[in-house]
């Protein structure tokens, strides 16, 4: 059976190399995995060393995640990596070929990530945008209706899986109606339950078989007065109504939509039913507090972690230059 970390956490590190203190902490905390941010990225060779060193710190093939959506949310950038249009813009340019374009884009992203030791990407974004969707999210979305979002989200997931990269669908159960940026504020969505099930939640139901997902720091007042990440009612909805049985991680616990200390945030999320606490900042004292509060994975979480990692596979053999040319062609002048 595949080795899985015992700590119910995913952590970042502070810079482009793993410090001795970080290495010692990671060895003891034994997190499920790691996440890469722009502060950790200099060159392909440096990044490949960093991901190898992170795995070496825990002595196993731990997953290494990143947010590489393309567009504004893209941690690996030029000159060493391709720059992509915001998804909503790219989909508009590709028109009826959007599904194929998003598959190709994701397969190319997966190839770049695997080359530097990253094997999980926080995508697809299955949120459905609405008239008042906050600008921090809007052009990261794929389309304005649930069916198209689900179809394009599936293409994104399949492109990643074909390239040996695990997709992490976000933000469950749906971030599209949020009118505030959860990095700074806690949004409340007041839409009724029936409308939410028919629209915002629908793409996640269609993608519920994916291996990993990330929660939304949003209050859905039709169900609870707590943000979904910390709401047992909403986690139950994700598991039962949406049907997601994969590994469920929080969005970044440092986001100001959540209140309390980092330890309190982690404890509330775990008590609500999240599997994994995600802490991205790389602050060692904060990571220690989160690791203590999140604790070790129970048997159900361990089984989900095993099942998720079992979906990592050797990338299919493709002609990257040919895929690049096809992708550019589908975008036309917008490439």
């Amino acid at each position: 059976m595949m080795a899985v970390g015992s700590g119910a956490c995913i952590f970042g590190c502070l810079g482009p190399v793993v410090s001795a203190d970080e290495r010692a902490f990671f060895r003891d905390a034994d997190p499920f995995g790691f996440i890469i941010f722009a502060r950790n990225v200099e060159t392909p060779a440096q990044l490949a060393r960093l991901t190898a060193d992170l795995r070496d710190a825990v002595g196993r093939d731990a997953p290494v995640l990143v947010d590489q959506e393309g567009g504004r949310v893209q941690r690996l950038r030029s000159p060493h990596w391709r720059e992509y249009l915001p998804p909503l813009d790219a989909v508009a340019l590709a028109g009826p070929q959007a599904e194929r374009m998003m598959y190709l884009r994701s397969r190319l992203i997966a190839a770049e990530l695997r080359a530097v030791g990253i094997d999980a990407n926080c995508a697809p974004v299955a949120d459905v945008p609405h008239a008042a969707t906050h600008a921090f999210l809007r052009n990261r979305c794929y389309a304005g209706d649930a069916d198209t979002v689900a179809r394009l989200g599936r293409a994104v997931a399949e492109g990643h899986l074909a390239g040996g990269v695990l997709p992490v669908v976000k933000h469950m159960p749906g971030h599209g109606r949020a009118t505030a940026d959860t990095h700074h504020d806690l949004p409340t969505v007041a839409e009724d339950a029936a409308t939410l099930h028919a629209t915002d939640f629908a793409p996640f139901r269609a993608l519920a078989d994916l291996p990993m997902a990330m929660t939304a720091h949003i209050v859905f007042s039709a169900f609870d007065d707590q943000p979904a990440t910390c709401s047992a009612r909403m986690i139950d909805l994700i598991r039962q109504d949406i049907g997601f049985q994969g590994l469920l991680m929080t969005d970044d616990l440092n986001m100001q939509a959540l209140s309390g200390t980092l330890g309190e945030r982690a404890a509330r999320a775990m008590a609500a039913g999240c599997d994994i606490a995600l802490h991205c900042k790389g602050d060692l004292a904060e990571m220690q507090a989160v690791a203590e509060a999140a604790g070790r994975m129970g048997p159900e979480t361990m089984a989900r972690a095993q099942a998720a990692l079992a979906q990592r596979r050797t990338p299919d053999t493709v002609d990257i230059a040919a895929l690049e040319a096809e992708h550019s062609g589908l975008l036309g002048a917008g490439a």
Side-chain angles (χ1 to χ4, degrees):
M1 189 173 279
M2 187 180 313
V4 176
S6 61
C9 301
I10 293 169
F11 289 126
C13 62
L14 202 53
V17 297
V18 184
S19 72
D21 286 346
E22 287 171 333
R23 178 177 286 273
F25 167 72
F26 293 146
R27 184 179 61 246
D28 293 340
D30 195 25
F32 169 70
F34 301 96
I35 189 163
I36 297 296
F37 275 79
R39 65 176 185 269
N40 308 123
V41 177
E42 292 177 344
T43 66
Q46 167 270 326
L47 186 52
R49 283 194 302 273
L50 175 62
T51 57
D53 287 346
L54 288 168
R55 291 189 170 101
D56 183 64
V58 293
R60 59 186 157 78
D61 188 17
V64 179
L65 294 78
V66 73
D67 289 288
Q68 190 78 351
E69 298 171 11
R72 189 160 33 86
V73 178
Q74 184 173 329
R75 314 305 184 198
L76 283 58
R77 308 210 75 114
S78 63
H80 300 295
W81 295 277
R82 299 177 189 88
E83 292 282 340
Y84 293 92
L85 293 169
L88 201 60
D89 299 348
V91 167
L93 280 173
Q97 296 299 312
E99 200 170 343
R100 176 65 177 167
M101 182 276 298
M102 289 297 275
Y103 174 88
L104 293 168
R105 168 185 172 120
S106 301
R107 183 64 186 82
L108 291 168
I109 287 172
E112 292 186 304
L113 297 183
R114 278 290 295 233
V116 291
I118 296 170
D119 59 3
N121 191 11
C122 297
V125 177
D127 304 313
V128 181
H130 298 275
T133 299
H134 193 281
F136 101 97
L137 182 67
R138 171 167 287 283
N139 68 1
R140 298 164 58 192
C141 300
Y142 300 161
D145 68 280
D147 288 346
T148 306
V149 169
R151 189 165 45 81
L152 296 177
R154 177 65 63 184
V156 168
E158 292 299 334
H160 280 92
L161 287 165
V165 172
L166 292 174
V168 182
V169 62
K170 62 189 184 188
H171 307 81
M172 270 195 188
H175 211 302
R177 290 184 194 270
T179 57
D181 181 346
T182 44
H183 293 88
H184 307 294
D185 300 291
L186 174 61
T188 294
V189 171
E191 203 62 56
D192 66 90
T195 301
L196 289 168
H197 277 295
T199 55
D200 300 57
F201 300 170
F204 295 97
R205 219 162 27 243
L207 300 170
D209 60 307
L210 294 182
M212 300 168 72
M214 179 185 290
T215 62
H217 297 333
I218 294 175
V219 172
F220 295 90
S221 60
F223 300 97
D224 199 358
D225 61 359
Q226 297 298 307
T229 301
C230 302
S231 165
R233 173 71 187 88
M234 296 310 296
I235 303 304
D236 183 67
L237 182 148
I238 287 168
R239 295 296 190 198
Q240 303 304 322
D241 299 344
I242 289 174
F244 178 71
Q245 298 303 316
L247 192 71
L248 185 64
M249 70 182 68
T250 71
D251 203 344
D252 184 11
L253 293 174
N254 266 110
M255 293 164 73
Q256 295 310 301
L258 302 183
S259 60
T261 66
L262 269 297
E264 289 166 348
R265 296 175 190 194
R268 284 201 303 272
M270 305 311 280
C274 291
D275 290 315
I276 301 289
L278 173 64
H279 181 276
C280 299
K281 190 176 171 183
D283 180 291
L284 191 55
E286 290 184 1
M287 289 194 288
Q288 289 166 338
V290 169
E292 183 176 352
R296 302 292 173 174
M297 288 191 229
E300 282 190 10
T301 295
M302 185 66 75
R304 290 182 188 126
Q306 289 274 6
L309 293 184
Q311 292 199 45
R312 290 190 297 195
R313 61 184 190 239
T314 303
D316 57 1
T317 302
V318 293
D319 181 338
I320 292 294
L323 296 188
E324 241 180 343
E326 185 184 353
H327 175 259
S328 294
L330 293 178
L331 293 172

